[in-house]
Amino acid sequence: MTTTSTPPRRPQAPSKRWYRVAAAIAGLGLLAALAWWPWAVTRIFYATDAFVRTRGMFGGRVELSHPGAHTLWIEGDCISCVGNEPREYRKVATVSITGPDGGALRVRPIGANWEYNTGGREGRALYVFDAPRPGAYVIRFDLDTSGRNWHSRLPSNLAVGRGVGLPVRIVRPMAALAGGGITAALLLTLLTYERRRRYFDRKMRVEAETAG
């Protein structure tokens, strides 16, 4: 009985379709970044609209409906403009917050630079505090701007938002989505190019050896 052996399968060059896959990945990253913008802006708009606000920059009485961490913001014209750094306000600020039971709360600087500009309102985060229970809280706030180094904008009022900072960021996630897609596409493109280059170099060597 005669048996026939199947000839070994010749290696194939990596398909060019991986270049199209890389382009699709880059496009998806850019589309995701563009889609993030309106979604994040909407979330920030509703979050800031729900802030509890004082009537003036020197504080006042605010009603908080939830316990837990809260952020103290300053709001005003061009507060989110370049140059109005939170650390400059904290250098000259005196702030105290009294809880519903009359006790003073611990107020600490917020650890990140949070700001917003929703068109109607602009704000920067300065402090974080923990509300032990729902109720009325009294905020006292003052800025000593008599020094020569003061160049920042004066706020028009204070705002208190539930949680630390804002629910989402805008620019950093957009950059991560777009940059991640482009980086992955570039790596896939380079990998495909290198594999194809090695395949054709090896093929040329084999053909040269066979011809010789």
Side-chain angles (χ1 to χ4, degrees):
M1 182 175 180
T2 304
T3 59
T4 58
S5 60
T6 304
R9 186 178 179 182
R10 298 181 62 183
Q12 299 293 318
S15 175
K16 288 185 177 181
R17 70 173 180 269
W18 291 111
Y19 292 133
R20 295 192 292 272
V21 172
I25 292 174
L28 287 174
L30 292 173
L31 287 175
L34 292 175
W36 181 268
W37 174 269
W39 181 80
V41 168
T42 300
R43 288 203 65 191
I44 290 174
F45 175 84
Y46 285 115
T48 56
D49 192 54
F51 286 176
V52 181
R53 292 172 169 84
T54 63
R55 294 184 179 273
M57 67 169 287
F58 299 108
R61 182 176 178 272
V62 293
E63 286 282 343
L64 302 183
S65 58
H66 294 85
H70 286 71
T71 300
L72 180 63
W73 303 78
I74 53 173
E75 292 186 326
D77 180 48
C78 207
I79 285 291
S80 66
C81 295
V82 175
N84 299 313
E85 296 298 327
R87 63 177 178 271
E88 298 301 324
Y89 290 93
R90 287 193 288 260
K91 284 180 183 178
V92 298
T94 301
V95 59
S96 65
I97 301 178
T98 304
D101 60 356
L105 302 183
R106 178 173 174 261
V107 182
R108 57 194 185 275
I110 195 167
N113 187 8
W114 290 92
E115 63 181 60
Y116 60 86
N117 183 347
T118 61
R121 296 188 178 98
E122 297 183 51
R124 284 185 183 270
L126 293 188
Y127 300 100
V128 177
F129 67 94
D130 294 316
R133 63 181 63 88
Y137 290 76
V138 178
I139 303 173
R140 295 180 177 85
F141 184 81
D142 186 35
L143 293 175
D144 182 6
T145 60
S146 58
R148 294 182 179 180
N149 294 327
W150 175 261
H151 302 291
S152 301
R153 295 266 185 169
L154 287 174
S156 58
N157 65 278
L158 307 179
V160 178
R162 186 182 175 189
V164 178
L166 295 171
V168 295
R169 289 187 181 272
I170 297 178
V171 177
R172 290 182 183 178
M174 287 182 66
L177 289 169
I182 292 173
T183 300
L186 181 60
L187 291 174
L188 181 57
T189 299
L190 292 175
L191 177 62
T192 303
Y193 170 80
E194 182 64 19
R195 290 182 64 193
R196 287 178 60 84
R197 184 189 66 80
R198 290 183 180 180
Y199 170 82
F200 287 110
D201 285 350
R202 185 167 57 250
K203 182 179 179 182
M204 290 178 63
R205 286 197 302 269
V206 171
E207 291 176 349
E209 291 172 358
T210 302

